Amino acid sequence: MSKTTSELKSVLTRVVDSADGYESAAESADNGSFAVMFRERAQERRNFATEIRSHLQASGENIEEDGSLLAAAHRAFTDIRDAVTGGRDDGAILNEVARGESTLLNEYEDALKDLPQTDPAYDLLARQRQSVAQAVSSVKAQAPNQ
């Protein structure tokens, strides 16, 4: 497996985690505007995943749609489910989203550091990373403990 493939699959796993985490947060948010924001971000992350999968498939990679690729990964947003089921408020959910998005941002930064700027995947990941960085800033500004 090439370095690019490895990096893309790693980011893909975290992006899917992020989408799942945002969906969980949206379902549990008391504040309607937070729920809307979380759903929009979940959709954006799904779009990112689709772009990454398309890039991998165009490179001849077989993407496992049965979830086995994703099931092997650590879930960045599992604490959101714990926060939600523990009866916490929107502030706790925002804190967990901020933590999870920071983890995703680090994943993008690690991947970009390891890829040459001439690699076609670099531009894709750099564009997505910029959106994630904006999401981190936005969520941290709204989270009570960030």
Side-chain angles (χ1 to χ4, degrees), residues 2 10 28-29 38 40 44 52 65 68-69 72 77 79 82 84 91 93 97 101 104 113 116 135 138 142:
S2 75
S10 181
S28 302
F38 295 152
E40 288 172 353
E44 179 183 57
I52 294 169
E65 294 296 334
S68 60
L69 167 70
F77 275 91
D79 287 341
D82 294 342
V84 170
I93 294 170
V97 168
E101 284 295 272
L104 177 60
K113 185 172 44 179
S138 174
Q142 297 175 67

Side-chain angles (χ1 to χ4, degrees), residues 68-91:
S68 60
L69 167 70
L70 305 175
H74 172 263
R75 298 292 181 188
F77 275 91
T78 31
D79 287 341
I80 288 177
R81 288 185 187 100
D82 294 342
V84 170
T85 59
R88 294 200 204 160
D89 62 7
D90 284 349

Side-chain angles (χ1 to χ4, degrees), residues 5 7 27 32 39 42-44 51 53 62 73 78 81 89 99 110-111 117 128 138 146:
T5 298
E7 293 296 339
E27 291 170 7
R39 283 191 179 88
Q43 185 57 54
E44 179 183 57
E51 289 176 336
R53 281 186 191 106
N62 181 22
T78 31
R81 288 185 187 100
D89 62 7
R99 187 192 60 75
D110 289 346
Q117 291 183 5
Q128 290 182 1
S138 174
Q146 296 295 315

Side-chain angles (χ1 to χ4, degrees), residues 13-31:
T13 298
R14 293 287 186 180
V15 167
V16 172
D17 288 342
S18 178
D20 291 346
Y22 272 125
E23 272 304 320
S24 292
E27 291 170 7
S28 302
D30 292 328
N31 182 319

